[in-house]
Coordinates of all heavy atoms in Angstrom, one line a residue:
I1 N -10.9 -4.7 -3.0 CA -11.6 -5.1 -4.3 C -12.5 -6.3 -3.8 O -12.1 -7.2 -3.2 CB -10.6 -5.7 -5.3 CG1 -9.6 -4.5 -5.7 CG2 -11.3 -6.2 -6.5 CD1 -8.5 -5.0 -6.7
E2 N -13.8 -6.1 -4.1 CA -14.8 -7.1 -3.8 C -15.0 -8.1 -5.0 O -15.1 -7.6 -6.1 CB -16.1 -6.5 -3.4 CG -16.0 -5.7 -2.1 CD -17.4 -5.1 -1.7 OE1 -17.8 -4.2 -2.4 OE2 -17.9 -5.6 -0.7
V3 N -15.1 -9.4 -4.6 CA -15.3 -10.4 -5.7 C -16.4 -11.3 -5.3 O -16.6 -11.7 -4.1 CB -14.0 -11.2 -5.8 CG1 -14.1 -12.3 -6.8 CG2 -12.8 -10.3 -6.2
E4 N -17.2 -11.6 -6.3 CA -18.3 -12.6 -6.1 C -17.7 -14.0 -6.1 O -16.7 -14.3 -6.8 CB -19.3 -12.5 -7.3 CG -20.0 -11.2 -7.4 CD -21.2 -11.1 -6.4 OE1 -21.4 -12.0 -5.6 OE2 -22.0 -10.1 -6.5
G5 N -18.4 -14.9 -5.4 CA -18.1 -16.3 -5.5 C -17.0 -16.9 -4.6 O -16.8 -18.1 -4.5
I6 N -16.4 -16.0 -3.8 CA -15.4 -16.5 -2.8 C -15.8 -16.5 -1.4 O -15.1 -16.9 -0.5 CB -14.1 -15.7 -2.9 CG1 -14.3 -14.2 -2.5 CG2 -13.5 -15.7 -4.4 CD1 -13.0 -13.4 -2.4
A7 N -17.1 -16.1 -1.1 CA -17.6 -16.0 0.2 C -17.6 -17.3 1.0 O -18.3 -18.2 0.6 CB -19.0 -15.4 0.2
D8 N -16.7 -17.4 2.0 CA -16.7 -18.6 2.9 C -16.5 -19.9 2.2 O -17.0 -20.9 2.6 CB -18.0 -18.6 3.7 CG -18.1 -17.4 4.6 OD1 -17.1 -16.9 5.2 OD2 -19.2 -16.8 4.7
K9 N -15.8 -19.9 1.1 CA -15.5 -21.1 0.4 C -14.1 -21.0 -0.2 O -13.7 -20.0 -0.6 CB -16.6 -21.4 -0.7 CG -16.6 -20.5 -1.9 CD -17.5 -21.0 -3.0 CE -19.0 -20.8 -2.6 NZ -19.9 -21.0 -3.8
S10 N -13.5 -22.2 -0.3 CA -12.1 -22.2 -0.8 C -12.0 -22.2 -2.3 O -11.2 -21.5 -2.9 CB -11.4 -23.4 -0.3 OG -10.1 -23.5 -0.8
L11 N -12.9 -23.0 -3.0 CA -12.8 -23.1 -4.4 C -14.2 -22.9 -5.1 O -15.2 -23.5 -4.7 CB -12.4 -24.5 -4.7 CG -12.2 -24.9 -6.2 CD1 -11.2 -24.0 -6.9 CD2 -11.8 -26.3 -6.4
D12 N -14.2 -22.0 -6.1 CA -15.3 -21.7 -7.0 C -14.7 -21.4 -8.3 O -14.0 -20.4 -8.5 CB -16.1 -20.6 -6.4 CG -17.4 -20.3 -7.2 OD1 -17.2 -19.9 -8.4 OD2 -18.5 -20.6 -6.7
L13 N -15.1 -22.2 -9.3 CA -14.5 -22.0 -10.7 C -14.8 -20.7 -11.3 O -14.0 -20.1 -12.0 CB -14.9 -23.2 -11.6 CG -14.3 -24.5 -11.2 CD1 -14.8 -25.6 -12.1 CD2 -12.8 -24.5 -11.0
S14 N -16.0 -20.2 -11.0 CA -16.4 -18.9 -11.6 C -15.5 -17.8 -10.9 O -15.2 -16.8 -11.6 CB -17.9 -18.6 -11.4 OG -18.2 -18.5 -10.0
A15 N -15.2 -17.9 -9.7 CA -14.4 -17.0 -9.0 C -12.9 -17.0 -9.5 O -12.3 -15.9 -9.6 CB -14.4 -17.2 -7.5
V16 N -12.5 -18.2 -9.9 CA -11.1 -18.3 -10.4 C -11.0 -17.4 -11.7 O -10.0 -16.6 -11.8 CB -10.8 -19.7 -10.8 CG1 -9.5 -19.8 -11.6 CG2 -10.7 -20.6 -9.5
K17 N -12.0 -17.4 -12.5 CA -12.0 -16.6 -13.8 C -11.9 -15.1 -13.5 O -11.2 -14.4 -14.1 CB -13.2 -17.0 -14.6 CG -13.3 -16.3 -15.9 CD -14.5 -16.7 -16.8 CE -14.5 -15.9 -18.1 NZ -15.7 -16.3 -18.9
E18 N -12.8 -14.7 -12.5 CA -12.8 -13.3 -12.2 C -11.5 -12.8 -11.5 O -11.0 -11.8 -11.8 CB -14.0 -13.0 -11.3 CG -14.1 -11.6 -10.7 CD -14.3 -10.5 -11.8 OE1 -14.5 -10.9 -13.0 OE2 -14.1 -9.3 -11.4
L19 N -11.0 -13.7 -10.6 CA -9.8 -13.3 -9.9 C -8.6 -13.2 -10.9 O -7.7 -12.4 -10.8 CB -9.5 -14.4 -8.8 CG -10.4 -14.3 -7.6 CD1 -10.2 -15.5 -6.7 CD2 -10.0 -13.0 -6.7
K20 N -8.6 -14.2 -11.8 CA -7.5 -14.1 -12.9 C -7.6 -12.9 -13.7 O -6.5 -12.2 -14.0 CB -7.6 -15.4 -13.8 CG -6.5 -15.5 -14.8 CD -6.5 -16.8 -15.5 CE -5.4 -17.0 -16.5 NZ -5.6 -16.1 -17.7
R21 N -8.8 -12.4 -14.0 CA -8.9 -11.2 -14.7 C -8.4 -10.0 -13.9 O -7.7 -9.1 -14.5 CB -10.4 -11.0 -15.0 CG -10.7 -9.7 -15.9 CD -12.2 -9.3 -15.9 NE -12.7 -8.9 -14.6 CZ -12.4 -7.7 -14.1 NH1 -11.7 -6.8 -14.8 NH2 -12.9 -7.4 -12.9
I22 N -8.7 -10.0 -12.6 CA -8.2 -8.9 -11.8 C -6.7 -8.9 -11.6 O -6.0 -7.9 -11.8 CB -8.9 -9.0 -10.4 CG1 -10.4 -8.7 -10.4 CG2 -8.2 -8.1 -9.3 CD1 -11.1 -9.1 -9.2
F23 N -6.1 -10.1 -11.4 CA -4.7 -10.2 -11.3 C -4.0 -9.8 -12.6 O -2.9 -9.2 -12.5 CB -4.3 -11.6 -10.8 CG -4.8 -12.0 -9.5 CD1 -5.1 -13.3 -9.2 CD2 -5.1 -11.0 -8.5 CE1 -5.6 -13.7 -7.9 CE2 -5.7 -11.4 -7.3 CZ -5.9 -12.7 -7.0
N24 N -4.5 -10.2 -13.7 CA -3.9 -9.9 -15.0 C -3.9 -8.3 -15.2 O -3.0 -7.8 -15.7 CB -4.6 -10.5 -16.1 CG -4.2 -12.0 -16.4 OD1 -3.0 -12.3 -16.1 ND2 -5.1 -12.8 -16.8
K25 N -5.0 -7.7 -14.7 CA -5.1 -6.3 -14.9 C -4.2 -5.5 -13.9 O -3.5 -4.6 -14.3 CB -6.6 -5.9 -14.7 CG -6.8 -4.4 -14.8 CD -8.3 -4.0 -14.4 CE -8.5 -2.5 -14.4 NZ -9.9 -2.1 -14.0
E26 N -4.2 -6.0 -12.7 CA -3.5 -5.2 -11.6 C -2.1 -5.6 -11.5 O -1.3 -4.8 -10.9 CB -4.2 -5.5 -10.2 CG -5.7 -5.1 -10.2 CD -5.8 -3.6 -9.9 OE1 -4.8 -3.0 -9.5 OE2 -6.9 -3.0 -10.1
K27 N -1.7 -6.8 -11.9 CA -0.3 -7.2 -11.9 C 0.4 -7.1 -10.5 O 1.4 -6.5 -10.4 CB 0.5 -6.5 -13.0 CG 0.1 -6.8 -14.4 CD 0.9 -6.1 -15.4 CE 0.6 -6.5 -16.8 NZ -0.8 -6.6 -17.2
P28 N -0.2 -7.8 -9.5 CA 0.5 -7.8 -8.2 C 1.7 -8.7 -8.3 O 1.8 -9.7 -9.1 CB -0.5 -8.4 -7.3 CG -1.4 -9.2 -8.1 CD -1.5 -8.5 -9.4
D29 N 2.8 -8.4 -7.5 CA 4.0 -9.2 -7.5 C 3.7 -10.5 -6.7 O 4.1 -11.6 -7.1 CB 5.1 -8.5 -6.8 CG 5.5 -7.2 -7.6 OD1 5.9 -7.4 -8.7 OD2 5.4 -6.1 -7.0
I30 N 2.9 -10.3 -5.6 CA 2.6 -11.4 -4.7 C 1.1 -11.5 -4.4 O 0.5 -10.4 -4.1 CB 3.3 -11.3 -3.4 CG1 4.9 -11.4 -3.6 CG2 2.9 -12.4 -2.4 CD1 5.7 -11.1 -2.3

């Protein structure tokens, strides 16, 4: 799964929002 905003950086608030959406949808255990 490719995500904008995380390239070579540890923290990006816009990426947090997109990643949370993905994790809520996909529901990984870890």
Side-chain angles (χ1 to χ4, degrees):
I1 297 175
E2 293 183 290
V3 177
E4 298 277 7
I6 64 171
D8 299 320
K9 65 172 76 170
S10 179
L11 180 61
D12 183 292
L13 294 180
S14 64
V16 172
K17 183 178 179 181
E18 174 61 11
L19 286 164
K20 184 172 181 289
R21 183 192 68 77
I22 291 169
F23 298 152
N24 279 328
K25 177 185 175 184
E26 298 279 346
K27 294 181 171 48
D29 298 300
I30 296 171

